Amino acid sequence: MTDSTPYLYQGARLRLREFGWRDVHALVQMHRDPRVRAHLADDVPLDDARVAHQFVENMQQFYRQHEGTGIWCAERAHPPEAEVLADALRAHACGEIDAAFLDALVQPRWSFCGWFSLVHLSDDLHTLEIGARLTPQAWGGTLALDGGEWLLEHAFRTLGQSHVLGHCSPTNRSAAHCLQVLGFQPQGLAPYNGGQALRFGLCQSGWAAWHAQPRRERQRAVLSAGR
């Protein structure tokens, strides 16, 4: 993979692309963070550089063998600081820099923030599940919802899925809340990767009706229902 690899999704705050070798170090660092490890529903030791390297190699093969599905590298945007932006606008107004240089200065900086996934269940090759694993620095915002909405759009509209599942650790209340804001309905505990996970389901018709509402209204509805 080169730096010219196209992005599968790019929004104002988040963009997704295929994993490449340059991402191995960031993968290892994320999985060495105890806050991340506390919520994992699997025990793949991606904190080991050799395992992370093999993960990237496997994913590069997976992308070609199972087009449209995979685990994708996520990057988040860091807008320019207000002072830098103000100085750039002032310099452009004074004729000190041209429009092209101004545009370069005001572009956001992007950094690794985890991954989003859309893959088949290991025991059911006809069913897709969405997933996300983010660095703690990316918690508490809207990135999980941004990525989740794209995953569902891709699953239902591009891939023509009739239903999609989601899973999370029973202790991960934030992930459970996010899945419900995306429209998923809880289905209780289910076997998952040798353990137990909370399972959520969403059908295509339910997704279409739910996502016709603005996100803010969906968030309020989930909070009000105490789901």
Side-chain angles (χ1 to χ4, degrees), residues 1-79:
M1 189 198 76
T2 66
D3 288 342
S4 62
T5 299
Y7 290 92
L8 290 89
Y9 165 79
Q10 181 158 359
R13 297 175 291 262
L14 176 73
R15 63 187 187 185
L16 306 178
R17 59 171 172 76
E18 295 181 358
F19 271 105
W21 306 120
R22 61 178 167 143
D23 303 310
V24 169
H25 178 71
L27 274 171
V28 170
Q29 293 304 113
M30 177 173 73
H31 288 89
R32 286 181 177 174
D33 192 311
R35 293 169 293 178
V36 173
R37 297 185 65 83
H39 294 298
L40 298 185
D42 61 61
D43 58 358
V44 179
L46 286 167
D47 54 329
D48 184 323
R50 293 170 297 178
V51 176
H53 190 279
Q54 187 62 54
F55 167 84
V56 170
E57 183 174 337
N58 292 343
M59 285 313 310
Q60 290 179 338
Q61 296 174 11
F62 188 95
Y63 297 136
R64 306 289 79 81
Q65 294 170 357
H66 306 279
E67 292 289 342
T69 62
I71 302 175
W72 297 293
C73 181
E75 298 176 335
R76 65 179 179 135
H78 301 271

Side-chain angles (χ1 to χ4, degrees), residues 83-150:
E83 184 176 344
V84 172
L85 179 59
D87 287 344
L89 291 172
R90 188 161 43 249
H92 179 258
C94 295
E96 298 174 3
I97 60 174
D98 61 19
F101 192 39
L102 173 66
D103 185 62
L105 288 174
V106 301
Q107 289 301 309
R109 177 178 60 85
W110 294 86
S111 67
F112 174 87
C113 67
W115 75 41
F116 286 86
S117 62
L118 184 66
V119 295
H120 291 92
L121 293 177
S122 59
D123 58 351
D124 183 357
L125 298 183
H126 299 290
T127 301
L128 289 175
E129 66 165 335
I130 73 166
R133 187 172 296 181
L134 300 178
T135 61
Q137 294 75 20
W139 295 356
T142 64
L143 294 183
L145 292 173
D146 291 348
E149 288 174 354
W150 177 80

Side-chain angles (χ1 to χ4, degrees), residues 160-208:
Q161 292 291 301
S162 61
H163 68 285
V164 176
L165 296 180
H167 295 86
C168 69
S169 166
T171 63
N172 196 339
R173 296 175 61 185
S174 294
H177 175 78
C178 179
L179 286 167
Q180 291 173 92
V181 172
L182 290 171
F184 284 85
Q185 297 293 321
Q187 297 182 350
L189 284 171
Y192 189 74
N193 290 337
Q196 293 278 305
L198 290 176
R199 173 169 288 181
F200 296 80
L202 178 63
C203 66
Q204 196 279 338
S205 59
W207 165 78

